[in-house]
Amino acid sequence: MRVIVESDAIGVSRTAARFVADLVRRKPDCVLGLATGSTPLGLYAELIRQNREEGLDFSRVVTFNLDEYVGLDGAHPQSYRCFMQQHLFDQINIDPRHTHVPDGRALDFESHCEQYEKLIRDSGGIDLQVLGIGSDGHIAFNEPGSSLGSRTRLKTLAPETIRDNARFFGSADAVPRLAITMGVGTILESRRCLLLATGSPKAQAISATVEGPVTAQVTASALQLHRDVVVVIDPPAAGWLTRRDYYQHVETSQKLLQSGQWSALNLER
Ligand code: F6R
């Protein structure tokens, strides 16, 4: 796991946007896995800026969102489809047919979830999956106790998640109780995962994810089993990490290597 601690939330968004934009430039028909919530808003704003000002081209990009509330259709202001339209899709040159968000009003959830997995496979698999993290350590809506091999399915939201998301619905009572979510196993099949977190409420979950044991009680910890995970966080979210100096040291060494400053690494050419 690569851990990058930026100086603030703006730095987190810029660094995350660099990973996404580099991929889109290198592979214009790449498949992006996308998240909703507060955390990726700055990333999306930066991608919109690069689309407008630097010609970052999304015309061939395909996207799959992690999750959707059950019971909300795409026009509901709190649906994740609506969120994505508002904060990204309507503001960039993406082909609407290339954007996928689970359907919260699907009639047959089981076959809808199977179909979603098939669509991901048929698109060639996810190249880069953007992830936020819940204060209970969830990724997507894989709440504590979710199988680490789980696939896209229906999931009951945990009380912590209902509490955390009440701010968007006005009250906890109005938050849907069920969601369709990619599984942990689905996420682990992405070629690269980009986990973002800002603020002290995420510090404990980030420490459990990066330095704790792999456990279904913190589903983000399953990312330790993935070969290419980049964690980008701000100092408050890094507050519980015990090996922060080492992560910084790794980043410095990488930069020295890339810029050919061998002697600073005690290497001879
Ligand atoms: C959203 C999602 C969730 C959020 C997580 C953090 O698509 O999958 O796992 O990433 O709940 O949400 P925020 O960013 O609002 O703190």
Side-chain angles (χ1 to χ4, degrees):
M1 239 184 221
R2 183 171 166 197
V3 180
I4 303 174
V5 183
E6 289 295 342
S7 52
D8 54 23
I10 295 171
V12 170
S13 298
R14 286 208 184 118
T15 297
R18 188 164 45 76
F19 279 101
V20 176
D22 283 353
L23 173 65
V24 171
R25 288 200 180 91
R26 206 172 59 244
K27 187 177 177 188
D29 59 349
C30 65
V31 180
L32 297 177
L34 298 176
T36 55
S38 310
T39 311
L41 283 174
L43 157 66
Y44 297 153
E46 177 59 16
L47 292 177
I48 292 165
R49 189 196 67 73
Q50 292 193 26
N51 176 244
R52 285 183 188 159
E53 295 175 16
E54 295 168 17
L56 184 65
D57 181 14
F58 288 89
S59 60
R60 294 170 63 202
V61 170
V62 174
T63 66
F64 287 91
N65 263 78
L66 287 167
D67 41 20
E68 179 60 283
Y69 291 113
V70 167
L72 306 191
D73 71 30
H76 189 288
Q78 296 310 331
S79 71
Y80 284 170
R81 163 57 78 178
C82 188
F83 176 101
M84 290 309 300
Q85 292 301 138
Q86 189 185 343
H87 295 290
L88 186 65
F89 300 152
D90 287 345
Q91 304 197 54
I92 58 174
N93 69 327
I94 198 162
D95 182 337
R97 293 167 305 177
H98 291 179
T99 68
H100 305 92
V101 180
D103 180 0
R105 298 290 292 267
L107 292 175
D108 179 345
F109 286 110
E110 207 169 318
S111 73
H112 179 62
C113 293
E114 276 171 24
Q115 190 59 25
Y116 203 69
E117 292 263 337
K118 183 173 173 336
L119 269 175
I120 294 174
R121 275 197 307 278
D122 292 350
S123 306
I126 292 171
D127 291 300
L128 175 67
Q129 176 65 60
V130 175
L131 296 165
I133 185 168
S135 58
D136 62 3
H138 70 222
I139 43 174
F141 274 133
N142 294 289
E143 301 289 24
S146 294
S147 158
L148 300 187
S150 52
R151 314 299 311 186
T152 303
R153 69 207 182 292
L154 218 56
K155 194 72 199 165
T156 303
L157 303 192
E160 292 81 359
T161 303
I162 292 172
R163 187 198 60 213
D164 288 350
N165 291 358
R167 65 191 193 279
F168 299 113
F169 287 85
S171 78
D173 285 346
V175 180
R177 269 30 187 179
L178 299 173
I180 298 177
T181 179
M182 276 188 209
V184 181
T186 321
I187 293 168
L188 290 179
E189 280 173 10
S190 310
R191 292 184 189 92
R192 169 176 269 182
C193 293
L194 183 62
L195 175 65
L196 313 178
T198 54
S200 56
K202 302 294 173 70
Q204 191 173 2
I206 285 293
S207 133
T209 298
V210 176
E211 297 179 343
V214 174
T215 167
Q217 297 311 312
V218 179
T219 53
S221 68
L223 295 171
Q224 291 179 30
L225 301 171
H226 193 286
R227 59 187 288 181
D228 189 355
V229 175
V230 185
V231 179
V232 189
I233 52 182
D234 67 356
W240 283 45
L241 292 176
T242 60
R243 307 196 70 221
R244 191 174 153 183
D245 289 349
Y246 176 68
Y247 310 137
Q248 180 60 51
H249 184 56
V250 171
E251 289 308 306
T252 307
S253 303
Q254 285 300 320
K255 281 186 190 127
L256 290 171
L257 262 182
Q258 275 158 13
S259 58
Q261 296 180 64
W262 310 94
S263 58
L265 293 161
N266 291 347
L267 289 172
E268 283 173 26
R269 290 209 68 185

